[in-house]
Amino acid sequence: LIASRMFVLALRRLVVDLRWFRRFEIEKQFTGRLLKFCSTSVGMDQVLRMDSKSKALYQTIQSYIVHNNIVSNDDWYCFRTMLLESSDKQNTVDCAVFKVLEENCYFELGVSYISYLFDTGLDNPVTIKQAVHLLEQCFLKDFEHFHSGVAIQLLEHILVMEKSFPNFFTYQKAIVLCMCGHFRQCLSMWSSVLDCPTKRRLISTLFIAACRYSNADSIWSMQMKSPYTLSASCHMEMSKYLKEQLQQNGEWKSLRELAHYVIFYGESQSCTFDESAVEAFKSYFASFSEIKWSVDCGIVTDNGCCSCCSSPLKQLTLSDEDFNSMKNELVKRIVIGDSVYRQTSPEEYYRFRQFLNRNDPFDVVVDGCNVAYLGGPTSNDVHIRRVKLRRKKIVF
């Protein structure tokens, strides 16, 4: 009897242990799947998708920079020496430092690190490219800490290195020429060296540099043979430039520059301003003293015109070839990504494609999250009301 009771107790304990073990295994599997999902998710930090050695290097750099005050070349020397103990490649360490500084917007430290590398010998092509990228981001996002002297030194390094690596620094050379204000040399490259994809990458930085160096004529004289877009920062810089022209050279000179800008903007693929750019241009027009402007906010009418002046607005036109290319890239990079199972399944994706084939074309595509944000079906938002009134074929 005692033996049977002990057997029952042992059996119960075993059942409890097995339940605990099973729950532990389920939790472990779930955690593993969650980590796998996070590491492949588009929105996750790039560091999570690195190998363990690179991840440790990036985390070390991040932690050190946050908790230490780096103010001199001696500080950089000690920091870099410490990092090189865990990596046998200098360019790996230097590029990792640049990447962490750029991603966290430590641009002042980034410029300082470039200056430090000048003293130690900046002679690795990949490191030079990364240094140019960081300095470009500093130029665009944190101009207060941009240092033209550092840009000039980088240009000197590129001119020396391109003798051994021809065509390796084409984009970087053009970028640094922009940041240094050497527009004549940059435009010479524009017409004879740069290909169309490089021009599209370069145009916003070149535009902003021309505004900051009060050399917009170099922009107006350019020949753009391929579609291009202007970033929101371009419009902000242009509004500042026009205001400076207004104050220094008078209203008519400023208006002539505005006319050039309108033509250049009209030939681009840019369709809208963001709110800050709109406010900047409203402030610009309000600065006129002789000419009085009436500035008002309007909406796009159903026939594609401005509700204030009734002028037709520019439409973005895509060729069938461009549209199909964009669609294929969207499916490849966003829907499929690293694995179709990340967002959907082959069966579900096939059913979705069949649904589109049966029901397209659609007049309107409505993003459910945005509708919910604007207030749902009962919302008084003007855009939602206009969609309802049209009563066309809609997919949610």
Side-chain angles (χ1 to χ4, degrees):
L1 182 62
I2 294 174
S4 63
R5 286 181 178 177
M6 291 180 64
F7 175 75
V8 171
L9 289 173
L11 187 61
R12 287 177 179 174
R13 184 175 298 173
L14 177 62
V15 170
V16 172
D17 289 344
L18 285 174
R19 286 176 180 171
W20 177 87
F21 177 76
R22 186 167 181 268
R23 188 177 70 178
F24 172 76
E25 282 296 309
I26 292 173
E27 289 177 352
K28 187 171 72 172
Q29 290 175 14
F30 173 76
T31 304
R33 289 171 184 167
L34 180 62
L35 288 174
K36 184 177 180 182
F37 167 77
C38 290
S39 66
T40 57
S41 175
V42 175
M44 292 298 290
D45 190 342
Q46 294 284 342
V47 174
L48 293 177
R49 295 197 288 273
M50 297 176 182
D51 59 81
S52 57
K53 191 173 182 179
S54 298
K55 183 178 178 181
L57 176 62
Y58 275 67
Q59 289 175 337
T60 301
I61 295 169
Q62 172 76 23
S63 177
Y64 188 90
I65 290 174
V66 169
H67 296 98
N68 291 272
N69 187 22
I70 301 176
V71 295
S72 67
N73 283 356
D74 289 338
D75 295 327
W76 281 125
Y77 172 78
C78 296
F79 175 48
R80 189 167 181 254
T81 302
M82 178 194 71
L83 294 176
L84 288 173
E85 292 176 358
S86 61
S87 177
D88 56 348
K89 294 183 179 180
Q90 289 187 357
N91 69 303
T92 300
V93 167
D94 293 331
C95 289
V97 172
F98 280 135
K99 193 168 183 63
V100 171
L101 293 173
E102 187 258 321
E103 288 180 349
N104 292 277
C105 297
Y106 297 141
F107 293 117
E108 186 176 11
L109 284 176
V111 173
S112 171
Y113 192 66
I114 296 173
S115 299
Y116 160 71
L117 291 181
F118 287 149
D119 295 335
T120 62
L122 183 57
D123 53 9
N124 183 279
V126 177
T127 306
I128 291 176
K129 277 193 169 185
Q130 196 68 39
V132 171
H133 176 70
L134 183 140
L135 194 62
E136 180 189 11
Q137 296 307 305
C138 177
F139 181 82
L140 297 175
K141 300 176 182 178
D142 189 15
F143 190 60
E144 178 185 353
H145 293 120
F146 172 76
H147 198 296
S148 59
V150 173
I152 292 172
Q153 282 186 278
L154 264 179
L155 179 60
E156 292 172 354
H157 277 69
I158 289 173
L159 293 176
V160 171
M161 293 291 288
E162 71 174 356
K163 296 176 182 177
S164 302
F165 300 91
N167 303 322
F168 188 75
F169 295 104
T170 303
Y171 176 75
Q172 286 71 29
K173 181 179 177 180
I175 283 290
V176 177
L177 286 171
C178 289
M179 294 190 293
C180 292
H182 298 167
F183 295 103
R184 183 177 298 177
Q185 293 168 266
C186 186
L187 292 180
S188 176
M189 291 183 65
W190 188 274
S191 59
S192 60
V193 178
L194 301 178
D195 56 19
C196 289
T198 304
K199 289 178 180 179
R200 287 196 292 268
R201 289 172 60 197
L202 180 65
I203 184 62
S204 286
T205 302
L206 177 59
F207 189 97
I208 290 170
C211 291
R212 289 178 178 171
Y213 287 108
S214 298
N215 200 334
D217 287 341
S218 60
I219 296 289
W220 313 143
S221 63
M222 288 193 314
Q223 298 294 322
M224 295 292 296
K225 296 181 180 179
S226 60
Y228 62 95
T229 58
L230 299 174
S231 67
S233 299
C234 291
H235 308 309
M236 289 294 296
E237 290 298 329
M238 177 51 62
S239 68
K240 296 176 186 177
Y241 169 73
L242 291 173
K243 209 166 187 177
E244 290 174 1
Q245 292 297 309
L246 178 65
Q247 295 167 352
Q248 296 172 8
N249 301 312
E251 296 183 1
W252 292 107
K253 170 65 176 177
S254 180
L255 286 176
R256 281 197 295 271
E257 292 297 286
L258 175 63
H260 286 301
Y261 166 64
V262 170
I263 294 172
F264 193 82
Y265 171 77
E267 293 174 349
S268 74
Q269 295 291 316
S270 305
C271 287
T272 57
F273 283 22
D274 63 9
E275 188 174 346
S276 58
V278 171
E279 292 301 319
F281 270 89
K282 286 173 66 176
S283 173
Y284 162 67
F285 285 112
S287 301
F288 281 76
S289 57
E290 297 179 13
I291 306 173
K292 298 300 181 183
W293 296 90
S294 176
V295 180
D296 198 3
C297 293
I299 63 170
V300 182
T301 63
D302 289 342
N303 57 354
C305 295
C306 170
S307 62
C308 296
C309 64
S310 301
S311 298
L313 301 182
K314 184 179 68 172
Q315 296 182 349
L316 176 63
T317 56
L318 283 176
S319 66
D320 291 340
E321 181 182 357
D322 289 338
F323 178 79
N324 288 327
S325 175
M326 182 177 67
K327 181 179 68 174
N328 293 335
E329 284 296 309
L330 177 70
V331 171
K332 178 182 175 182
R333 296 176 181 272
I334 305 300
V335 179
I336 305 298
D338 298 328
S339 170
V340 68
Y341 290 100
R342 188 185 63 181
Q343 307 253 25
T344 180
S345 67
E347 296 79 11
E348 184 183 46
Y349 181 60
Y350 175 76
R351 290 196 299 271
F352 176 67
R353 294 296 298 269
Q354 292 294 101
F355 167 79
L356 294 180
N357 292 335
R358 288 195 307 269
N359 295 282
D360 67 358
F362 298 96
D363 298 296
V364 180
V365 177
V366 179
D367 179 5
C369 292
N370 279 319
V371 172
Y373 175 76
L374 292 170
T378 60
S379 171
N380 289 321
D381 181 83
V382 63
H383 299 294
I384 294 179
R385 284 191 282 112
R386 285 164 60 196
V387 168
K388 293 176 185 175
L389 291 173
R390 288 180 179 180
R391 298 188 180 280
K392 293 188 176 181
K393 201 169 186 180
I394 303 172
V395 60
F396 286 87

